Amino acid sequence: MKQKIMLQAQKEIFKTGFRFTMADIARECGISTKTIYEWYASKEELILEMVQQATTEIKEREQSIIRDPKLGTMDKLKALLVLLPEDFHYFDVKRLYELQRYHTKVWSVLNSFIEEQWDGVARIVAEGQAEGLLEKFNTAVFIQMYIGGLHRLMEQAQAKPAGLTLSEALHEMVDILLDGIRKR
């Protein structure tokens, strides 16, 4: 039942954003609101669990990418920089802005993850530099540019929706960042 509730919440977020109600989920699941509250004390708790599952998935997939012997260093770097949970490839960028604005505690958890989860990228960048595939550059500045770019994409998506999915936006941003640092 818990998974069913979470999947329906995810559908609601994709469809209408974070303004769904627990009653909306109950109706779509064919259960009572009371049943939902037996599993989740609040909407915030439900969304937080979704974010925690997403970050766990990202960590697991990051390790898989890093250990994949079939991928070259540049392929690994790009894969890490555009890594999203499997179900989030069609997630609209403006949903991140909504999360930040309306669910600040959950956003704080996600934002901490975004700002701190860079060891794998730093390791692959160092490998790329050692292999002569990447110029020497300040990795910390590169990471801050990425994070700043992501934040700016969120703000712009809310102000002027471009209809970009999070996946599309990350691919565009990463292509620009990598082509700017790749040795010619």
Side-chain angles (χ1 to χ4, degrees):
M1 181 57 65
K2 193 172 187 177
Q3 192 62 26
K4 182 178 180 179
I5 293 167
M6 190 167 300
L7 287 172
Q8 187 57 47
Q10 189 178 51
K11 287 179 186 175
E12 292 296 322
I13 292 168
F14 280 93
K15 186 170 53 174
T16 60
F18 287 96
R19 294 188 179 192
F20 68 88
T21 66
M22 296 298 247
D24 294 334
I25 294 172
R27 185 174 41 259
E28 292 297 322
C29 287
I31 58 175
S32 70
T33 307
K34 182 180 175 185
T35 302
I36 292 178
Y37 285 112
E38 289 173 8
W39 291 99
Y40 297 100
S42 66
K43 178 177 162 180
E44 193 92 355
E45 184 180 300
L46 171 61
I47 295 169
L48 178 60
E49 186 168 325
M50 291 172 69
V51 165
Q52 289 169 332
Q53 282 187 3
T55 57
T56 298
E57 180 187 339
I58 287 174
K59 289 175 189 176
E60 291 168 359
R61 291 183 59 214
E62 176 186 50
Q63 290 309 307
S64 177
I65 290 166
I66 290 170
R67 288 190 305 265
D68 189 339
K70 293 178 244 154
L71 293 176
T73 303
M74 292 307 294
D75 295 327
K76 287 179 183 182
L77 181 58
K78 184 166 185 176
L80 291 174
L81 291 171
V82 299
L83 184 58
L84 291 171
E86 199 59 46
D87 294 336
F88 284 69
H89 285 276
Y90 302 105
F91 194 75
D92 193 311
V93 177
K94 70 182 175 185
R95 299 295 181 235
L96 287 177
Y97 179 84
E98 291 172 8
L99 182 65
Q100 179 186 34
R101 183 159 183 205
Y102 300 113
H103 300 281
T104 55
K105 289 178 184 174
V106 177
W107 172 254
S108 173
V109 169
L110 180 59
N111 196 48
S112 290
F113 176 79
I114 290 169
E115 292 184 6
E116 296 167 7
Q117 199 61 29
W118 290 95
D119 293 344
V121 169
R123 183 172 137 201
I124 298 300
V125 164
E127 285 178 22
Q129 289 171 332
E131 293 171 17
L133 299 171
L134 296 173
E135 297 287 348
K136 296 285 183 196
F137 62 93
N138 186 317
T139 306
V141 170
F142 177 80
I143 290 168
Q144 288 307 308
M145 287 173 56
Y146 179 98
I147 293 170
L150 180 60
H151 283 266
R152 189 68 180 143
L153 285 169
M154 288 168 28
E155 293 165 6
Q156 287 296 351
Q158 185 60 27
K160 301 178 218 167
L164 282 178
T165 65
L166 183 54
S167 179
E168 291 167 338
L170 287 179
H171 277 86
E172 288 286 329
M173 186 173 71
V174 167
D175 284 345
I176 293 165
L177 287 172
L178 292 183
D179 286 342
I181 62 172
R182 190 181 304 238
K183 264 191 174 178
R184 292 176 174 86

